[in-house]
Amino acid sequence: MKNTGLRGGRYGEVLLVSAGADGPTATVYNTYPLNDCPPELWTRLDAQALATEHGALAALLNGPRYWLMDAIEKDMGTEREIVTFGGLDMYRQATVALSSMNPAPYVPNTVARNAVFVFDAGAPVFELVDADGRAWVMQTWSQIVDPALSYDDLPGLAERLTLPDGWSFRTRTLETDLRVDTSSQAAQVLQDGLTNSYSLVSS
């Protein structure tokens, strides 16, 4: 199934954290495409109350966020789990092996999401390039740290981010479609200091 027209769409996530043999693991629930994470409901969510209600070690609120890919290809299956958090319906979307209960910026987490993210030719992308020369494409921007951060602000992030040694930030316009295919392998995802999230383009 291919969902298009995502760029700029608003959503929110609830992560229910459990203790695993290799560290904390989070089950990710996402408002997309059920609703656009209306502020009047999102701002009333209580993470501690949600953790208690669902028997989780912790609940993490991840949003509001906005998509930057143009399409997602994903096998949704015939029956999908929907959970309601404080009046917000969310689909169960992915599982994340957390690097810690409070992951640091620029530290990758492993995400099982079984999806392809598509960034259209002719569209801008915002990327981190790490010290090994690998590109990480921004998949969502966040208003968690800066509630006023907008799409128009993204090209200027190089002046705001404190990057690790040897890293850089760039904006470029795609000449061909960019496909981040993690349909059959885990994705590597990290966040910057403003909690914008990025996927490793290729290993």
Side-chain angles (χ1 to χ4, degrees), residues 25-160:
T25 300
T27 302
V28 182
Y29 297 86
N30 192 309
T31 60
Y32 176 81
L34 298 171
N35 58 75
D36 63 355
C37 185
E40 63 272 16
L41 294 178
W42 178 258
T43 55
R44 293 207 300 262
L45 293 181
D46 182 320
Q48 182 58 56
L50 292 177
T52 300
E53 178 184 352
H54 294 276
L57 184 64
L60 306 177
L61 304 181
N62 185 26
R65 290 186 172 276
Y66 298 82
W67 298 115
L68 280 169
M69 75 288 290
D70 297 284
I72 295 177
E73 299 172 8
K74 183 179 176 72
D75 182 1
M76 300 297 187
T78 56
E79 295 184 9
R80 301 185 63 194
E81 179 184 354
I82 298 178
V83 177
T84 301
F85 299 95
L88 281 171
D89 289 341
M90 300 190 186
Y91 275 133
R92 178 174 176 165
Q93 293 281 24
T95 303
V96 182
L98 298 174
S99 56
S100 73
M101 285 295 291
N102 187 23
Y106 310 107
V107 176
N109 290 291
T110 300
V111 182
R113 64 190 181 199
N114 305 112
V116 181
F117 289 175
V118 183
F119 300 80
D120 288 349
V125 291
F126 312 99
E127 294 177 318
L128 294 172
V129 180
D130 66 23
D132 295 321
R134 300 180 303 173
W136 300 75
V137 63
M138 192 187 296
Q139 61 188 27
T140 69
W141 90 85
S142 164
Q143 292 180 333
I144 297 171
V145 173
D146 179 358
L149 187 67
S150 71
Y151 184 82
D152 291 339
D153 295 326
L154 302 182
L157 285 186
E159 299 176 0
R160 298 188 59 183

Side-chain angles (χ1 to χ4, degrees), residues 105-106 128 138 157 161 163 190-198:
Y106 310 107
L128 294 172
M138 192 187 296
L157 285 186
L161 298 177
L163 298 173
L190 57 75
Q191 295 185 356
D192 63 24
L194 294 173
T195 67
N196 305 307
S197 63
Y198 302 74

